[in-house]
Amino acid sequence: MREKIVNFFCLMCVIILTLSVISCSSPAQKDETNTANQGSASEKLVIKGLLDKEVSIGTDELKTMQQVEKKVTAVDSAGKKTDYTVKGPLFDDVLKKYGKSQKELKGIRLVAGDGYSIEVPADVLKNRDIILALVVDGKELDSRSKPMRAVVPDERAMYWVKNLTAIEVLENVEKAEAKRVIFIDTVPSSVPVQEYNYYESKDKAFKTCDLLNKFKGNLDSDFLFIKSTDKLMKNETKDNFLKGYIKFTGTDSPAFVSDVLPVGMQVKNVLWFSYGEDVYFSAAGSLTYFEKISLDGKDGVKLSDITKEAGTSSSAKYVLTGVDGYTSEIESKDLENGLIYNDEKDGVSIYFKDLPKNTNIKGLLSISAKD
Ligand SMILES: Nc1nc2c(c(=O)[nH]1)N[C@H]1C(S)=C(S)[C@@H](COP(=O)(O)O)O[C@H]1N2
Ligand SMILES: [Mo]
């Protein structure tokens, strides 16, 4: 009996251990047959998380509601503009049927049948209309956009979700306070790296899954925040994030890329992304993002610009860790005097003019708040 109990516990331990490690096997290739939702899309919209039970509303019913007709301009990430006239009911009017209003929602995720999805944050919900477009330029939607397209006038086309099939109403997503900054530029020497085909070029990338497994702190989270150097801030679900790679060479680097997600979900020129208490920061990106300074012949940016942008928690002391495991300690007042620069030989490095030489680290991996 006793042996059985012990065995049982061992088994449980193994299960728990396996669960806490994210499996990094190659994600399944994009399944071209899995397009059941496209074209022959079921003609309805499912809304989850609004009421206790999910609700669904057919396009027939949407057509009977008050229709808004509006000339709109779509702007994509490359700045390309396209004009349309769209017609359909307002999402807010749909919500009213259920006694809710768009302004009171904390966030929603627009989900398409082709795997595309994007979170619309509270400030957009507060200030913009969301039109559930059923007609574009006087015509029925094409098969790739059916059953409806979300159109958010005056916001970027990334929110204009074609083939919209579901809307998930989200709870307030709280962002944990950052305790550690990890430099993306230095990560490749600690995780498996592979070749990645990005359009016509062969670049290098590592799996997001390997990254989180390597550095995962105590705090798990279902979401990540990603900011690019063009100031675009985006939330991504952990599930989606784990389907990709961080590409760190070639154009648009560092970039969140994936060979299974729609291309529109990739994020180019990442400045940082955060997961739990960790903020993964691009030192290369910071050199284009922050004001450059020069110190004793080294060109870089202030460490405090990075820690402020990352929202690093205040702490009396911070620990700097090099890629070789070497550590040094600094005080909070030193953040202002640290220079982050790129050393030709050793990559991301830190230099303090007035501190002992052993605080300077070449091949800097991370900065952690000590308490
Ligand atoms: N279903 C779906 N909707 C989507 C996308 C997608 O890949 N799938 N891409 C988005 C992005 S990133 C952009 S820029 C626009 C592109 O719209 P267009 O194809 O009409 O130019 O659609 C958005 N809506
Ligand atoms: Mo886009």
Side-chain angles (χ1 to χ4, degrees), residues 75-77 80 82 84 112-114 116 144 149 157-164 262-265:
V75 183
D76 72 10
S77 63
K80 195 188 87 184
T82 318
Y84 315 103
D114 65 358
Y116 186 83
R144 294 179 57 190
R149 181 169 193 175
M158 62 177 192
Y159 293 122
W160 300 26
V161 177
K162 297 173 275 191
N163 187 205
L164 180 71
V263 283
M265 292 173 81

Side-chain angles (χ1 to χ4, degrees), residues 33-42 112-115 143-144 146-147 163 165:
T33 59
N34 183 19
T35 46
N37 267 328
Q38 267 171 262
S40 62
S42 48
D114 65 358
S143 63
R144 294 179 57 190
K146 271 180 175 255
N163 187 205
T165 54

Side-chain angles (χ1 to χ4, degrees), residues 320-358:
L320 309 175
T321 306
V323 65
D324 55 1
Y326 177 82
T327 63
S328 71
E329 230 177 78
I330 58 163
E331 290 175 28
S332 70
K333 64 171 169 32
D334 303 323
L335 293 176
E336 288 294 329
N337 304 314
L339 178 82
I340 295 285
Y341 68 101
N342 185 44
D343 180 87
E344 248 175 58
K345 189 166 135 280
D346 297 305
V348 182
S349 301
I350 188 152
Y351 175 72
F352 297 93
K353 188 177 163 65
D354 298 317
L355 292 185
K357 267 211 161 81
N358 64 6

